[in-house]
Amino acid sequence: MTDGLIAGYFREGAPIQDTKAPSGPIEQRWSTRRFDAHLVNPANRRKLSVIIVGTGLAGASAGATLGEAGYQVKSFCYQDSPRRAHSIAAQGGINAAKNYKEDGDSVFRLFYDTVKGGDYRSRESNVYRLAEVSARIIDQCVAQGVPFAREYGGLLDNRSFGGVQVSRTFYARGQTGQQLLIGAYQALERQIAAGTVEMFTRHEMLELIVVDGRARGIVVRDMVTGEIETHLADAVVLASGGYGNVFYLSTNAMGCNVTATWRAHRKGAYFGNPCYTQIHPTCIPVSGDHQSKLTLMSESLRNDGRIWVPKDSADKDKDPRLIPEEDRDYYLERIYPSFGNLVPRDIASRAAKYQCDAGKGVGPGGLGVYLDFADAIKRMGRAAVEAKYGNLFDMYAQITGEDPYETPMRIYPAVHYVMGGLWVDYDLESNIPGLFVAGEANFSDHGANRLGASALMQGLADGYFVLPNTIREYLSHGPYPQVAADAPAVVEAQTAVKERVRHFLSCNGTRTVDSFHKELGKIMWDYCGMERTEQGLTHAIEQIRALKKEFWSNLKVLGTGDGINQSLEKAGRVADLIELGELMCIDALHRRESCGGHFRAESQTEDGEALRHDDEFAYVAAWEWGGDDAPPILHKEDLVYEFVEMKQRSYK
Amino acid sequence: MKITLEIWRQAGPGTAGKMVTYTQDDVSPDMSFLEMLDVLNEQLQERGEEPVAFDSDCREGICGMCGLVINGQAHGPQVTTTCQLHMRSFKDGDRITIEPWRADAFPVLKDLVVDRSAFDRIIQAGGFISVNTGAAPEAHAAPVQKAKADRAFDAATCIGCGACVAACPNAAAMLFLGAKVTHLGELPQGQPERDARVVKMLTQHDHEGFGGCTNVGACADACPKEIPLDVISQLNTDLRRSMARGN
Ligand SMILES: Cc1cc2nc3c(=O)[nH]c(=O)nc-3n(C[C@H](O)[C@H](O)[C@H](O)COP(=O)(O)OP(=O)(O)OC[C@H]3O[C@@H](n4cnc5c(N)ncnc54)[C@H](O)[C@@H]3O)c2cc1C
Ligand code: SF4
Ligand code: FES
């Protein structure tokens, strides 16, 4: 250690704390906080403005709700319509503690499952609140016309997801995210018509404006005209989704990116647990070099499908239907008899990797395991399977050219979700006053691993119920002083954006943006993916630094900046993903324990399960941007468990 | 496979465009159609030519962002979205034409990218149920007949891609409209605004410059989500009923 530099990669700063969560009985904290938040008189709301970046479940629901309350909202998305945010792609379902099945579910159990599922790396107060508001989300969505699956009696149906033993997941066939988002989108459009929300589609946020220490606006590029615009407000909300695309191949949409949150990070917002990544066990395997994204097969399939590989690696190229029962290894059912195929995602993913590493993987390149519905079809009949999973089976057939009703699906893990994101307190406010962060973009509720069907719950909890209450407290102290269009902070942000655009267009190198993105993705997948080691991570950091250098000197972006230019858009995103990739590796390197989705090979139990070190690492790692030429600074927020006892997770 | 492509190139809104021919020598049948275009774009950039602009995001057939007219068919030869179309639907030596959606209400912005914001404005006109956050009753307060819930769901699976408009000789958006009217109209929660909704949405539809429906049915054939033609009958029924009640 020299000059305070730890392991050569970062410095440690002062510890931080969430100062907003009330203390006392956990079931009263949220009502206490809501009661303590000042009210804003309806007549004053019109004078208060909020910028919301993102129209996914979190952003659209927050926009609609704040609009209904009478605030002036400006909403932004990069797609051509708010309805296309990537929440649309969520398949499986949304959790809520309704206990409609009388199977022992409760707010406390959902809270407990989520804390345990997150491997004891999330905040109790936040998670309890999430469980508490979950039931109202379902009420709200049903009232909006979300067509959830129903039973013949007309009541709502439920199913189970990984990591739990109750049925609390509400769903709309395999299109739950779509239906929830359309509900939120319609509510948002209603406010647009009412004039409370102004919508900016095909606008990409490229910079945050911070004035006198407060978030006061953003700089965006109109992706159709190329114009660089400034938008100012009393508060800024980032609901810009996850950054799984740092791995190039992921189940995220092509445009998912980290730019909104990364620009805020560079302006001082702390980044929480960037290395916590969720690798989803059931995705369609890669088919070739041309691959642009990976497709998820919903976790709900694990309710009825059975996962296996041949016992003997010599059988891996055989027609699976010809492999007799006794030659198959249903390895999840064997190793985890009480949860079987429904173990949490991190465990299922790693187990698949180990089978493939042992040479038993099936399909091209040996990177696949079977997900077999033969038993389910025998038990329930083909029609019932079709009713439950029809669209997923069709999608699989479309992509692979194989019929999953006839032969087992082949699946392999893929990057799917990031638990990491901007650090926020109980109010969802970052350490920059007036900058709020909601949905997948924040780090808040899932600890080191998210349970299935909990991201939709969190997005809507944040947007419909949490943020509108907590931002009210901030806004009640406004309106904040008017910011002049030529204020130094505004000019600085504008200039920075223009300079970046100019650089990309005039760099005149030889490599395309995609080639850099692919290279970054490969580094991240190889060294910061399902299994991480000290050696691999240090190697990755060196590689990423070299890549960054080359990116800034050898990039080729054709065309101009004053119209649609998709390579230019990507260049900005990849530039930020590269910097994020480095921070993810540093975070993964510094966390010398395994927890949830973060698996350090050096820290495992005798039988290969993740081994936490609570004495050393029971904290949130909140990273401060150190500067372009200086290392990042780590601030630790200690995690305290008052209501749930920390245990090593066991799903056996 | 070897494929010849003829692609619509247009520099910007309101400028003249033309078809340009490209060849692709090494197309794998496992590629998606858009991945094939990605490969073309990489090659174009390496040659110093501007890549072809086209929209896509989820690439799993759900966001509705993609949409190309392929060999004269909206979303191409299969009943699916452009992003879910795979090259195994084509054969070695094929010539493929690629054009943007063509409709007055969907102006071309660049190459294959069009402006579909008219759809959002139709939803703004009435494609929602007016319920403020927090005002909802308990979800089980109103059971919904499964058959109705299922029909609502089927209609609600519309992804707002606009293929129905692109396929329609009149460039009408009736399938899109009918899908929303049916989705909300099948549910008890959608009843209070049902009469007004259909009139407002239809008025906006006409205002946007979409054409009228003459029962051709090309929309339903092109729809990647197989929204059935009977949602248009539902739309007409709702409209008649609404007018009879003086809306
Ligand atoms: C394939 C798939 C299936 C899933 N299935 C489930 C499931 O079954 N259950 C579950 O609970 N979770 C599921 N998830 C996770 C869940 O869908 C997401 O975590 C959640 O929807 C994220 O919502 P969000 O509102 O935070 O962000 P998103 O929906 O990703 O929205 C991000 C928004 O930000 C905008 N944006 C981003 N950057 C910028 C910028 N720079 N400028 C302007 N706008 C910007 C985008 O335009 C978009 O509107 C799934 C995820 C995937 C990928
Ligand atoms: S009705 Fe079908 S074709 Fe038309 S927008 Fe909806 S999904 Fe697309
Ligand atoms: S890219 Fe989303 S539907 Fe095709």
Side-chain angles (χ1 to χ4, degrees), chain A residues 67-333:
Chain A
E68 288 159 7
Y71 298 102
Q72 263 184 57
V73 178
K74 282 186 175 183
S75 169
F76 297 81
C77 70
Y78 70 74
Q79 295 93 342
D80 71 332
S81 164
R83 66 179 292 155
R84 308 207 199 281
H86 198 50
S87 294
I88 201 93
Q91 301 170 348
I94 175 165
N95 289 329
K98 280 284 196 189
N99 194 28
Y100 283 159
K101 296 283 165 194
E102 273 299 315
D103 55 2
D105 201 10
S106 62
V107 168
F108 195 87
R109 190 175 296 278
L110 175 53
F111 156 69
Y112 173 84
D113 285 346
T114 309
V115 169
K116 175 185 173 198
D119 217 358
Y120 309 93
R121 290 292 176 264
S122 50
R123 273 189 208 135
E124 282 187 329
S125 304
N126 284 57
V127 177
Y128 193 91
R129 173 178 65 190
L130 177 65
E132 189 179 333
V133 302
S134 65
R136 295 189 71 200
I137 297 173
I138 303 303
D139 299 341
Q140 185 64 31
C141 294
V142 166
Q144 289 170 341
V146 171
F148 283 118
R150 289 183 183 264
E151 296 168 340
Y152 283 99
L155 300 179
L156 296 164
D157 193 17
N158 290 124
R159 57 187 173 202
S160 322
F161 256 48
V164 302
Q165 288 169 317
V166 293
S167 268
R168 64 159 76 99
T169 305
F170 294 78
Y171 67 101
R173 218 167 293 167
Q175 285 119 292
T176 316
Q178 180 196 26
Q179 295 309 320
L180 296 174
L181 183 60
I182 287 177
Y185 155 76
Q186 289 173 182
L188 183 70
E189 292 294 339
R190 174 172 162 246
Q191 290 311 306
I192 295 172
T196 57
V197 176
E198 196 180 350
M199 184 70 227
F200 298 84
T201 59
R202 292 200 200 264
H203 275 68
E204 184 164 20
M205 165 182 167
L206 297 176
E207 203 53 86
L208 178 74
I209 298 172
V210 181
V211 181
D212 297 332
R214 295 179 187 278
R216 294 303 307 274
I218 58 175
V219 177
V220 299
R221 180 171 178 272
D222 178 330
M223 295 155 76
V224 176
T225 64
E227 199 154 332
I228 309 291
E229 304 167 357
T230 298
H231 295 268
L232 299 166
D234 290 299
V236 176
V237 178
L238 301 183
S240 50
Y243 51 80
N245 275 353
V246 68
F247 292 87
Y248 185 70
L249 288 181
S250 80
T251 65
N252 286 7
M254 303 304 287
C256 290
N257 68 90
V258 77
T259 291
T261 49
W262 192 256
R263 302 324 293 174
H265 174 59
R266 291 181 54 113
K267 283 274 159 79
Y270 295 169
F271 216 109
N273 300 327
C275 82
Y276 288 167
T277 310
Q278 181 161 84
I279 309 221
H280 198 291
T282 54
C283 300
I284 301 179
V286 174
S287 75
D289 282 344
H290 53 263
Q291 193 98 20
S292 60
K293 76 153 276 162
L294 295 170
T295 302
L296 175 80
M297 290 281 101
S298 167
E299 171 157 307
S300 60
L301 292 169
R302 288 200 273 144
N303 270 300
D304 292 298
R306 299 180 67 197
I307 294 177
W308 64 276
V309 291
K311 278 186 181 155
D312 182 352
S313 60
D315 282 349
K316 70 186 166 74
D317 297 319
K318 254 199 196 158
D319 180 340
R321 289 166 298 183
L322 302 179
I323 301 179
E325 240 357 80
E326 64 273 17
D327 292 343
R328 301 175 174 193
D329 181 9
Y330 294 91
Y331 57 88
L332 290 178
E333 298 171 26

Side-chain angles (χ1 to χ4, degrees), chain A residues 65 68 79 81 84 98 100 139 145 154 185-186 189 202 254-255 292-293 398-399 512 556 564 566, chain B residues 35 42 45 54-55 57-60 63 88 110 120 124 133-134 138-140 144 158 160 180 183:
Chain A
T65 306
E68 288 159 7
Q79 295 93 342
S81 164
R84 308 207 199 281
K98 280 284 196 189
Y100 283 159
D139 299 341
Y185 155 76
Q186 289 173 182
E189 292 294 339
R202 292 200 200 264
M254 303 304 287
S292 60
K293 76 153 276 162
Q398 194 65 248
I399 292 171
T512 63
K556 167 148 90 178
I564 294 182
Q566 294 173 330
Chain B
E35 285 168 350
E42 284 296 286
Q45 292 178 81
F54 63 88
D55 269 331
D57 204 29
C58 74
R59 295 212 177 175
E60 43 188 83
C63 74
R88 66 178 79 87
K110 181 174 184 175
D120 288 335
Q124 279 159 35
T133 302
E138 150 62 42
H140 269 177
V144 183
C158 164
K180 190 47 57 196
H183 161 206

